[in-house]
Amino acid sequence: MKLIKQFCSKTGLHGYKFIFLPKRILLERVIWMVLTSTFLIVAVLELYDSGKKLSASSTKTVTTSINYPIWNFPFPAVTICNFNKISKEKALEKANQLRHKLDYTVPYIANLFALLSLLYYDNHNEGTTSDKSYLELLQILDYNEVDLNDFLRELSPSCNNIIKNCKWKGEEIKCDKLFEKIITSEGHCCSFNYFAPKNHTFKGSFSRKTRVKPRHVSACGYATALEVLLGPDSTDYAASDTLAFGNKVSS
């Protein structure tokens, strides 16, 4: 009896605790006991009926073949996102190309461009930046009529700086022919075999010479698929989302 009382007091099942709660009249306890017992019996009967139906018409899964050719499946997309969201070299270059610098120096404007990385992620150190810096950045962008989407793409590290060497099916190929820059939740990243949107076409440097359908491998093994050599340029970091140098790779 003690175990039953302890179970009813601790269980998350509705109604059982009211059977043994103090300061309850006997009639209320009896009503809760009848209700919980009734629903318990109904649940057991339903479970028994479901088990009986399952055993009478069970579902069986059969594999027709284990030799389905791997080349019938598209090779998965591989996306490489650098920790650095704003290239220092490109920030200086873009700052120097601005028509209206508003009496700010090129290095100062380049440092302001690093604040644009906050559009990609939550920076825990953003409180150290004054509101004045944000206003100055906004003023510079407005005066120069900057298209923010294109500007962020141009400020992001190039795929050539992130990916040093590429091989596809054992053959060394220029990375620009394999990877293209796409926008993701991590910012602008370099992606291989990316065809998520409908009617997507490759937008790499060699877009005229590449296919409009996903690539397929011809055999198993890493040597017949994609190989890349990554080399993040630590000197080009202007705005990183983590206290490290490197890349995030997903497929």
Side-chain angles (χ1 to χ4, degrees):
M1 189 66 180
K2 184 179 179 181
L3 289 176
I4 296 175
K5 184 177 181 180
Q6 187 177 7
F7 170 78
C8 292
S9 301
K10 301 293 184 180
T11 184
L13 297 174
H14 184 67
Y16 288 88
K17 66 179 180 180
F18 297 112
I19 299 174
F20 292 98
L21 278 179
K23 298 181 181 180
R24 300 281 175 172
I25 61 175
L26 180 61
L27 179 61
E28 185 179 356
R29 296 178 191 275
V30 171
I31 291 174
W32 279 111
M33 190 179 298
V34 171
L35 287 174
T36 53
S37 300
T38 301
F39 285 114
L40 179 61
I41 293 171
V42 171
V44 171
L45 291 175
E46 287 290 333
L47 186 62
Y48 173 77
D49 186 56
S50 298
K52 194 175 180 181
K53 289 180 180 178
L54 180 63
S55 61
S57 57
S58 58
T59 302
K60 295 181 180 179
T61 303
V62 180
T63 304
T64 57
S65 173
I66 59 173
N67 298 315
Y68 194 76
I70 192 173
W71 49 84
N72 285 348
F73 294 98
F75 190 80
V78 178
T79 303
I80 302 171
C81 298
N82 193 259
F83 290 163
N84 181 33
K85 305 307 176 187
I86 304 294
S87 166
K88 184 182 294 185
E89 180 183 351
K90 289 188 175 183
L92 288 169
E93 181 183 340
K94 290 297 178 183
N96 191 49
Q97 292 174 356
L98 291 178
R99 290 179 299 170
H100 306 289
K101 296 183 176 61
L102 306 181
D103 297 328
Y104 298 118
T105 64
V106 169
Y108 185 77
I109 296 174
N111 287 333
L112 290 178
F113 287 162
L115 297 177
L116 292 172
S117 63
L118 296 176
L119 296 173
Y120 293 133
Y121 62 92
D122 293 329
N123 190 336
H124 300 296
N125 297 321
E126 60 179 313
T128 60
T129 305
S130 65
D131 293 338
K132 180 184 175 183
S133 298
Y134 294 111
L135 292 174
E136 290 172 345
L137 174 61
L138 182 61
Q139 190 179 32
I140 291 171
L141 296 177
D142 284 343
Y143 263 88
N144 290 275
E145 299 179 349
V146 172
D147 184 302
L148 198 55
N149 289 327
D150 293 338
F151 196 61
L152 284 171
R153 180 184 177 88
E154 293 168 358
L155 285 177
S156 62
S158 66
C159 294
N160 283 336
N161 283 352
I162 300 172
I163 311 168
K164 302 300 182 182
N165 186 269
C166 299
K167 283 186 178 181
W168 172 247
K169 295 183 180 180
E171 179 185 355
E172 191 167 328
I173 301 177
K174 289 185 177 181
C175 295
D176 282 349
K177 193 173 181 180
L178 298 176
F179 285 85
E180 61 178 315
K181 193 177 288 188
I182 64 170
I183 182 66
T184 71
S185 59
E186 298 285 343
H188 285 88
C189 303
C190 302
S191 187
F192 166 79
N193 217 33
Y194 175 78
F195 287 90
K198 190 177 181 180
N199 300 324
H200 176 80
T201 55
F202 183 79
K203 295 181 177 63
S205 299
F206 295 85
S207 56
R208 294 181 181 178
K209 300 180 181 179
T210 53
R211 64 186 70 192
V212 294
K213 294 182 180 180
R215 295 174 180 267
H216 297 245
V217 295
S218 53
C220 297
Y222 75 92
T224 63
L226 177 69
E227 296 178 72
V228 295
L229 175 64
L230 303 180
D233 186 1
S234 59
T235 60
D236 195 42
Y237 275 50
S240 176
D241 62 351
T242 185
L243 298 176
F245 302 120
N247 304 279
K248 295 179 182 178
V249 182
S250 58
S251 63

